[in-house]
Amino acid sequence: MGAAAAEVVVAPRPPSAKRRSTTLKFLFELEKPGSVLPAGTAKLPPPSPEPEADSLIDKIASCNRVFTFADDAAECEEERDAKRERLVEVLGAVRSSGAKQETLDHRVMVALVKMVGANLFRAMPPSACPALLPPDGVDEETNVMVLAPSWPHLQVVYDILLSVVTASDAKTLRHHVDRAFLSSLLALFRSEDPRERDRLKTVYHQLYSKLTCERAFMRRSMAYAFLRFVYEAPPAERHCGAAELLEICGSIINGFAVPLKEEHRAFLARVLLPLHRTRWVHTYHRQLAYCVLQFVHKEPGLADAVVTDILRHWPVTNCQKEVLLIEELEEILEVLELKHFQKLAVPICSRIARCVSSYSSQVAERALYVWNNERFLELATSSPGVMEKILPAFVASVESNLELHWSKCVQQATASVKSLLQQVAPDLYARCADDLATRRSEAEVAAAMRDARWRKLETAAAATK
């Protein structure tokens, strides 16, 4: 007897929903912005940005190849031009994203940082400045300038980097810009191309303003660069980048809160003041003086340490450096209050008075022009007892210039200063002139007596032979 057949129960089918149309006409209707769609019908999703990002990443990656611009072959020239065109396209894409306030894709940022590093971070060529150049043999206006041959590419890369930094927020930059990148960027300030250093200054300053968590590291890195200029660099090595770094420091110092932190005072004493001692100070003195003056503005009590350090390392044979330091002392005098001037008047004026009688006409004229400063004249005349201390040295230098100096221009400027001093303090000037004449006559008498004794000794020595 066979097995009984199992009874199969089939569940009833639910009523089928209306089948959605998939015709081309229906799909085109979905794409119309103002079309009315049937209930329950969703619009197509927007096109994925992935293909666009992938195309940009491929374009960025193709710019990683670095050209030395040393080969003039036609094919190399075409490839270089093609790379510049691609860089310009990448720059346009980055700027477009920034204009729309859109955050760059993470993969795009990684590719951009890699491309920037491949193009910018490189070994610098040897300096083109002569090694045996005298300290005052280079004028600031005629510095040796070396232009980077790869600047057509570097210029666009710097523009891309600046656009990325400007368009990105601090959080995004922290994920992609690390300390190794910042250190490599700082090393590029040694470039002798002023165009590159100017772009670097802008980029580095923008990074400092956004990467608040790395500000202390960036300040320490700049301090190490300055200390290397002073203590480790060979004497013949030009301090390229010092002026641009000091401009950044000037902006940073301007934002320091008062009272200053001990770290900031140490930066002034250990980093900025030693920069006065180098042979290349003329290439960055304007920026250095601005930084020092900012410290004195914020804490006038620091003027004592600043003036003492400048006077202690006063140059002996570098006339150009003497002129710069006289200008810096004059700027410091303009911001001093009366109580601080009374303390520093004697050492400052003694040095300026010695400069008045310098054989260098530039140094002598610049020292004489200090008396044309209204603030200095006001402090000198209004401070009780200061004129009695500083005027004798000036009177000696003025009278010496009128009698012995070789330059007619210096003699004319000296005569003008003498008439000014006689108007400001006529009695004191006359008394100082009398004392000077007395000292000179006494010196002449002592010299005559000394000569007489030598003649006696020579006569006695001749008689014993």
Side-chain angles (χ1 to χ4, degrees), residues 90-397:
V90 172
L91 175 61
V94 173
R95 285 179 174 174
S96 175
S97 176
K100 297 176 183 177
Q101 297 182 350
E102 297 177 354
T103 304
L104 290 171
D105 186 75
H106 171 75
R107 297 179 302 135
V108 174
M109 283 291 294
V110 171
L112 283 171
V113 172
K114 182 179 178 181
M115 185 271 293
V116 168
N119 282 273
L120 297 185
F121 303 154
R122 63 201 190 279
M124 292 297 164
S127 175
C129 185
L132 300 178
L133 203 62
D136 54 351
V138 177
D139 189 11
E140 186 176 3
E141 300 177 356
T142 59
N143 281 336
V144 179
M145 185 170 60
V146 179
L147 302 180
S150 57
W151 180 245
H153 288 176
L154 294 177
Q155 179 183 8
V156 189
V157 175
Y158 276 113
D159 290 340
I160 292 173
L161 178 58
L162 181 60
S163 299
V164 169
V165 173
T166 305
S168 304
D169 56 3
K171 184 178 179 181
T172 304
L173 289 175
R174 281 199 301 270
H175 282 99
H176 297 280
V177 178
D178 56 5
R179 292 189 173 183
F181 185 91
L182 294 174
S183 299
S184 301
L185 206 62
L186 183 66
L188 294 176
F189 278 97
R190 298 173 61 185
S191 170
E192 294 189 344
D193 193 332
R195 302 169 299 180
E196 182 172 9
R197 298 199 303 267
D198 187 66
R199 297 297 177 94
L200 270 170
K201 176 185 66 176
T202 306
V203 171
Y204 203 78
H205 198 182
Q206 287 287 335
L207 286 170
Y208 183 89
S209 64
K210 290 201 171 186
L211 296 176
T212 55
C213 59
E214 299 292 351
R215 287 182 177 179
F217 171 77
M218 296 175 77
R219 288 198 301 270
R220 288 197 303 270
S221 300
M222 288 189 286
Y224 294 153
F226 290 138
L227 292 175
R228 179 190 169 277
F229 288 154
V230 178
Y231 298 109
E232 296 182 3
E237 180 181 334
R238 296 177 62 204
H239 296 167
C240 295
E244 289 78 12
L245 288 174
L246 285 170
E247 283 190 38
I248 300 174
C249 289
S251 177
I252 295 172
I253 295 167
N254 196 22
F256 284 166
V258 178
L260 295 172
K261 297 180 181 179
E262 190 60 35
E263 170 197 352
H264 302 154
R265 297 193 189 95
F267 180 75
L268 169 66
R270 300 175 184 175
V271 179
L272 291 183
L273 292 181
L275 285 172
H276 290 91
R277 308 173 194 173
T278 69
R279 64 180 291 190
W280 296 101
V281 66
H282 62 277
T283 61
Y284 56 79
H285 182 265
R286 179 175 58 84
Q287 294 83 359
L288 175 61
Y290 176 79
C291 292
V292 173
L293 203 62
Q294 288 296 312
F295 274 105
V296 178
H297 266 298
K298 291 182 178 293
E299 284 194 9
L302 294 173
D304 189 6
V306 171
V307 171
T308 302
D309 190 87
I310 292 176
L311 296 179
R312 183 184 297 129
H313 301 95
W314 195 268
V316 179
T317 59
N318 193 336
C319 302
Q320 184 183 13
K321 190 173 177 180
E322 281 192 271
V323 172
L324 295 175
L325 294 181
I326 293 172
E327 292 176 355
E328 186 173 357
L329 289 178
E330 184 177 356
E331 291 176 354
I332 293 174
L333 288 173
E334 289 181 354
V335 302
L336 286 182
E337 299 176 359
L338 187 60
K339 59 180 180 180
H340 296 106
F341 176 77
Q342 292 176 350
K343 184 178 181 181
L344 298 173
V346 173
I348 292 178
C349 293
S350 298
R351 170 54 63 182
I352 294 177
R354 285 198 290 271
C355 292
V356 166
S357 57
S358 172
Y359 288 112
S360 170
S361 59
Q362 295 180 352
V363 175
E365 288 182 24
R366 189 62 190 84
L368 287 167
Y369 288 155
V370 173
W371 283 101
N372 293 337
N373 190 307
E374 295 181 359
R375 176 60 179 168
F376 172 73
L377 191 60
E378 177 186 355
L379 290 172
T381 55
S382 61
S383 303
V386 170
M387 285 294 286
E388 286 79 0
K389 297 177 181 178
I390 67 174
L391 198 59
F394 277 107
V395 171
S397 298

